[in-house]
Amino acid sequence: QVQLVESGGGLVQAGGSLRLSCTASGRTFSSYAMGWFRQASGKEREFVAAIIWSGRNTLYTDSVKGRFTISRDRAKNTVYLQMNSVKPEDTAVYYCAASSRWGATAGRSYDYWGQGTQVTVSS
């Protein structure tokens, strides 16, 4: 059974930092692109960041560029999202996902999904 499990969410003050982790089990995702999405209450799910299987290329939505960093440890089958200078508008449930295609920002292009982890940024 394939599983993606997120962790690291919580409550953080605006301007602070948080690191999310997503560990995969059940298969290796070394050849998959990994992405992070988020969904705020009452809003649609949106793309946040993605990283190619080799880790050499990354992709970010404009609102997090310069603040968030996506990385991966292929040996640990884990992808990370380092969130710095967080803002209240970053509050959302964050999901990690795996795609067999690179460059996809639409959720429908991702094949596997985690259950999500809540991030709440207080002002």
Side-chain angles (χ1 to χ4, degrees):
Q1 183 179 359
V2 175
Q3 274 194 317
L4 297 177
V5 179
E6 303 95 336
S7 62
L11 176 64
V12 60
Q13 287 189 329
S17 298
L18 208 59
R19 189 177 81 156
L20 306 183
S21 301
C22 171
T23 300
S25 61
R27 66 162 295 155
T28 179
F29 286 90
S30 59
S31 62
Y32 276 67
M34 300 296 294
W36 286 96
F37 288 76
R38 66 186 180 186
Q39 186 167 20
S41 180
K43 296 187 177 182
E44 292 187 354
R45 182 178 58 195
E46 65 170 346
F47 170 80
V48 176
I51 187 165
I52 199 170
W53 67 272
S54 66
R56 291 182 178 180
N57 295 87
T58 56
L59 192 62
Y60 298 93
T61 191
D62 286 346
S63 62
V64 307
K65 284 181 181 177
R67 300 189 299 120
F68 291 10
T69 302
I70 188 171
S71 61
R72 70 189 300 168
D73 185 330
R74 294 173 63 194
K76 294 182 178 180
N77 236 10
T78 298
V79 62
Y80 305 97
L81 184 68
Q82 178 67 43
M83 306 168 61
N84 296 331
S85 303
V86 295
K87 304 175 181 180
E89 51 264 42
D90 294 322
T91 295
V93 177
Y94 283 71
Y95 300 90
C96 75
S99 174
S100 56
R101 297 189 295 168
W102 167 241
T105 59
R108 62 180 179 272
S109 298
Y110 285 74
D111 306 298
Y112 301 99
W113 290 85
Q115 292 301 307
T117 185
Q118 176 70 47
V119 172
T120 303
V121 182
S122 63
S123 57

